[in-house]
Amino acid sequence: MDSSQLADSSLAPSANLSDPPSEAVGAPVPDAEPPAKTSPYKKAAQTGYESSQRKLPIYRDKLNKEMAGTWVGPMPPDQFLDDFFRPVPDVPDLPNDHFTTVPTKGLEKDMYQPFIECAKGIIPGFKIINTAEHSDINSTNGYKLKPDPTMYADTVDTVEKRTQFDKVELNIEFKRDPLHDPFVDSGVPGFEAQSQNSRDTRSQLTHYTTEIFSRQHRLFTFTLFICHEQARFIRWDRAGAIVSAAFNFHQDPRPLVEFLWRFSHSTPSERGHDPNVRAATGKEANIAREKLKEWAPKKETPIV
């Protein structure tokens, strides 16, 4: 299967990632509890944060098993950029050491802010927020997900630096230790690395993407994966994921700069949003509430 066929797989039925919700999120809308049936996975009802967290490893292990064999790669980074983004002029010409301030030693969290600073000026119209300490209170099944820095449109309110999966444009995952790379580009014995660390990383990446698909109307989405001084691009659709080969962004930042520049100049549909869905206008929302109030619950349970 060539890359054009792979790109078209975004229209395939949901196999491993969650189905879209029933409420449009084409434009920023108030946070709301996700619809009850948004995923092909059968999940037990959760009633508390601690209970959910105890079941998190079990759920992620299931995600990892369901995604096995659906990772396609390694695709050369330049081919990835050309197949999934249109060329954009005036790409910033940055020195080769532009990203070397992102440390490869110490704690993983020490990588976040230096990367955010390096990305400024390369992502017009967007911002990267360190959401690693502030979970999404509306996470499906109460898992309280708080990924590494995430990218949002400039118009999104991020004052509290809280994760908002219904508004995330790009998930960025960091790993300091190269042993956590989930893939082996050599192809021996296979593309999917089989160490426990690698499997854990793949299930974590899949969980975050599943949450995005559960909370947004999308045909596909992207992840930027940073591991030590290597980077990968990932394009997800509802049949699997296409992964670029790793490249050393400390030595050659050009592919990373090109990715961020093209991504930030892409239209919503080019970033994966379903162009056939939009948020309801205020008038339409009021009409819907009026028509549906007969079935409104007697009282609401607040999300805390």
Side-chain angles (χ1 to χ4, degrees):
M1 182 182 295
D2 60 30
S3 60
S4 62
Q5 291 173 307
L6 291 170
D8 288 342
S9 66
S10 60
L11 302 179
S14 176
N16 296 90
L17 301 175
S18 59
D19 294 330
S22 59
E23 183 178 353
V25 292
V29 296
D31 287 341
E33 186 174 2
K37 297 181 179 180
T38 59
S39 171
Y41 305 117
K42 295 180 180 178
K43 310 171 189 174
Q46 306 293 339
T47 58
Y49 172 66
E50 292 182 357
S51 174
S52 299
Q53 295 307 101
R54 284 197 296 268
K55 296 182 179 181
L56 181 60
I58 299 174
Y59 175 59
R60 286 191 173 176
D61 183 62
K62 181 179 181 181
L63 292 180
N64 196 40
K65 291 177 180 177
E66 292 185 353
M67 279 293 292
T70 67
W71 304 91
V72 180
M75 176 182 278
D78 286 342
Q79 182 183 353
F80 187 102
L81 292 169
D82 290 339
D83 281 8
F84 301 130
F85 296 98
R86 55 185 168 82
V88 179
D90 303 321
V91 179
D93 184 13
L94 301 175
N96 287 341
D97 63 353
H98 181 71
F99 283 98
T100 56
T101 55
V102 180
T104 57
K105 297 180 180 181
L107 300 176
E108 178 187 300
K109 65 181 182 179
D110 295 335
M111 304 172 71
Y112 303 161
Q113 196 57 41
F115 184 88
I116 292 172
E117 295 300 321
C118 287
K120 290 180 179 178
I122 312 175
I123 52 171
F126 295 86
K127 54 188 172 183
I128 299 176
I129 305 298
N130 183 2
T131 52
E133 299 299 327
H134 304 280
S135 64
D136 187 326
I137 60 175
N138 294 325
S139 297
T140 305
N141 281 2
Y143 283 124
K144 305 295 185 182
L145 300 178
K146 47 182 180 181
D148 298 339
T150 42
M151 183 187 290
Y152 301 89
D154 276 341
T155 54
V156 175
D157 182 359
T158 56
V159 173
E160 296 183 355
K161 296 186 177 181
R162 183 171 296 283
T163 303
Q164 303 174 68
F165 275 106
D166 58 326
K167 298 179 179 66
V168 167
E169 288 292 340
L170 177 67
N171 181 47
I172 308 174
E173 180 60 31
F174 290 81
K175 296 297 179 188
R176 182 192 58 80
D177 191 338
L179 295 177
H180 286 82
D181 191 335
F183 307 107
V184 181
D185 289 351
S186 66
V188 180
F191 183 52
E192 299 172 29
Q194 293 305 311
S195 71
Q196 188 60 54
N197 287 335
S198 297
R199 291 197 296 268
D200 289 346
T201 301
R202 283 199 300 276
S203 65
Q204 182 183 22
L205 292 170
T206 302
H207 194 176
Y208 294 155
T209 303
T210 299
E211 189 71 16
I212 291 173
F213 276 131
S214 295
R215 304 275 291 281
Q216 301 184 27
H217 283 273
R218 281 186 171 270
L219 301 177
F220 56 91
T221 190
F222 293 93
T223 294
L224 172 60
F225 180 66
I226 304 291
C227 186
H228 196 60
E229 58 187 20
Q230 304 284 319
R232 295 182 184 273
F233 312 136
I234 306 176
R235 181 192 185 275
W236 309 76
D237 58 32
R238 297 180 184 278
I242 302 173
V243 186
S244 80
F247 62 92
N248 191 316
F249 70 97
H250 270 202
Q251 297 178 3
D252 180 13
R254 182 193 54 80
L256 179 53
V257 173
E258 187 87 29
F259 173 84
L260 293 172
W261 188 253
R262 292 193 189 194
F263 185 93
S264 61
H265 285 81
S266 298
T267 65
S269 61
E270 290 171 336
R271 296 194 302 275
H273 293 279
D274 189 342
N276 298 307
V277 180
R278 63 170 177 80
T281 64
K283 180 178 180 180
E284 291 168 336
N286 289 334
I287 292 175
R289 293 189 185 96
E290 178 65 26
K291 299 295 183 181
L292 297 172
K293 67 180 182 181
E294 178 181 348
W295 294 276
K298 300 300 181 183
K299 63 178 181 179
E300 295 184 0
T301 302
I303 299 174
V304 295

